[in-house]
Amino acid sequence: MSAAEPSEEQQPVPGAAERGRAVEEVLLGGARTWTRRDIAERSGVGPERTVQIWRALGFPAVGDDVRAFTDADVDALRVGERLIEAGLITEESETMMARALGHHLSRLAEWQAHTLWAWMNHESRSPSEEREPAGHAAALLPELELLQRHVWRRHLAACTARVLAEAEEDVPAEPRQEQPGGVAEGGPGPSGEGADVRDRAVGFTDMVGYTRMTRGLDSTELVRVLDRFERLTGDVVAEGRGRVVKTIGDEVLFVCEAASSAADIALELTARAETDQELPQLRTGLAYGAVLSRFGDVYGAAVNIAARLTAVARPDAVLVDTAFAGELEGLAGYELRVLRPVSVRGYSRLRPVLLRPVRPGRRPRGGRRAG
């Protein structure tokens, strides 16, 4: 090696800005070449709609003359146009679809970005490896995409099977009536693009005393508790053939087709948490009724009631509403006890029903009829 040739140790390490641009080009599939006017012209999508879609995805607006877009952005707009031409979506639902995609995928992207950054800055990596973040990103991106596509297809297959099974059910002949929560009752029925109304069981489970507990934990300990809670709820809900809709801090929202499935999930969560010394006590609220499912989220009176019941439940308790209790009537294995009405936000006289499992050797206690 001549004196003019710098050794590996002498080669300058790219600055953060330079490395950031290199990684960004790998992730975006190219440089930011086009302005908003350019992508509108190249994709055939009007400028106003490109702004609308961009904002729906969760990105801030940029000036018309700023070169912020890539060839991949143009291709994505063209895909949207082809889906509209095929009749799969409309211009209105395209925006709603973009909002749903942006909301869910941004959370995944945030986790992946932090994971990749921690990996690239690990102390065991050599100086030459630290100088190649773009190369590492280019190598790992296809692997992440392959994994995401596989999981997405598995969930798509599962959801499709569920939709096809639901389509075979008999649709009730009586007219659908509007509930106070804004969702029609009376069985399944369409409610617009990307939405579906169906009677379902809804559950909220949260950790008791979470706020007080977090004051005494450092970030590492808090992450451990949250991971344990999400693992427990995710496993139990999946085992019970339910679906986790979302996790909100110390609370998980799930849905089931049958009230008995939701009851079993809630009771199992309570039992497992009682024996887990690393988790605080749990409490759950359950309700049954017409639920609007839209772009991965759920809405309706049953969702609101389940949340209110969770807020008034005691530690290690499962409270259900009278409609949910009615679904369990006649089924073995459950003990139901009607409690005094409570006043909660939106409901002046909400009547909780305490749900317990029937213990071996113990006969179910009587009580007022849940209705």
Side-chain angles (χ1 to χ4, degrees), residues 207-210 213 225 273-274 276-282 316:
M207 292 185 280
V208 178
Y210 172 78
M213 177 192 67
V225 171
E274 285 178 338
D276 192 328
Q277 299 301 316
E278 296 187 28
L279 276 179
Q281 295 168 294
L282 303 184
D316 296 328

Side-chain angles (χ1 to χ4, degrees), residues 260-307:
S260 58
S261 298
D264 292 342
I265 288 171
L267 294 173
E268 181 66 16
L269 284 171
T270 301
R272 292 196 192 183
E274 285 178 338
T275 61
D276 192 328
Q277 299 301 316
E278 296 187 28
L279 276 179
Q281 295 168 294
L282 303 184
R283 59 183 179 180
T284 299
L286 300 170
Y288 188 86
V291 175
L292 169 65
S293 299
R294 180 175 180 270
F295 292 105
D297 212 338
V298 291
Y299 307 87
V303 180
N304 299 333
I305 292 172

Side-chain angles (χ1 to χ4, degrees), residues 138-153:
L140 291 174
L141 186 60
E143 302 295 331
L144 288 173
E145 289 180 327
L146 179 64
L147 181 60
Q148 287 177 195
R149 186 167 66 248
H150 170 73
V151 176
W152 168 69
R153 283 182 176 271

Side-chain angles (χ1 to χ4, degrees), residues 151-169:
V151 176
W152 168 69
R153 283 182 176 271
R154 292 294 303 188
H155 276 291
L156 184 61
C159 291
T160 300
R162 185 168 64 245
V163 169
L164 292 176
E166 291 172 352
E168 294 178 356
E169 297 177 357

Side-chain angles (χ1 to χ4, degrees), residues 169-365:
E169 297 177 357
D170 293 331
V171 178
E174 65 268 15
R176 298 169 60 78
Q177 298 178 349
E178 193 75 13
Q179 284 187 312
V183 178
E185 63 178 358
S191 287
E193 294 175 290
D196 173 65
V197 176
R198 189 170 298 275
D199 288 342
R200 287 188 171 93
V202 182
F204 275 95
T205 296
D206 75 0
M207 292 185 280
V208 178
Y210 172 78
T211 302
R212 182 175 63 256
M213 177 192 67
T214 57
R215 289 199 291 264
L217 299 179
D218 60 28
S219 58
T220 301
E221 293 170 329
L222 178 58
V223 167
R224 187 182 300 116
V225 171
L226 292 175
D227 284 346
R228 200 171 188 87
F229 174 67
E230 291 179 7
R231 184 166 62 250
L232 170 65
T233 53
D235 289 350
V236 173
V237 171
E239 290 168 7
R241 307 188 71 81
R243 178 175 69 88
V244 172
V245 177
K246 56 187 174 183
T247 301
I248 314 167
D250 64 327
E251 189 172 59
V252 64
L253 166 62
F254 64 92
V255 294
C256 294
E257 298 303 312
S260 58
S261 298
D264 292 342
I265 288 171
L267 294 173
E268 181 66 16
L269 284 171
T270 301
R272 292 196 192 183
E274 285 178 338
T275 61
D276 192 328
Q277 299 301 316
E278 296 187 28
L279 276 179
Q281 295 168 294
L282 303 184
R283 59 183 179 180
T284 299
L286 300 170
Y288 188 86
V291 175
L292 169 65
S293 299
R294 180 175 180 270
F295 292 105
D297 212 338
V298 291
Y299 307 87
V303 180
N304 299 333
I305 292 172
R308 304 296 184 268
L309 289 172
T310 304
V312 298
R314 292 184 176 181
D316 296 328
V318 178
L319 295 182
V320 308
D321 71 341
T322 53
F324 191 101
E327 291 293 310
L328 297 183
E329 188 174 347
L331 299 180
Y334 307 111
E335 177 183 325
L336 297 165
R337 184 160 64 93
V338 180
L339 306 178
R340 295 178 180 177
V342 294
S343 178
V344 295
R345 182 162 57 92
Y347 301 90
S348 59
R349 288 183 60 81
L350 179 62
R351 186 177 290 278
V353 181
L354 180 64
L355 169 66
R356 295 176 182 172
V358 173
R359 305 295 184 187
R362 187 179 76 181
R363 297 180 59 187
R365 282 190 288 175

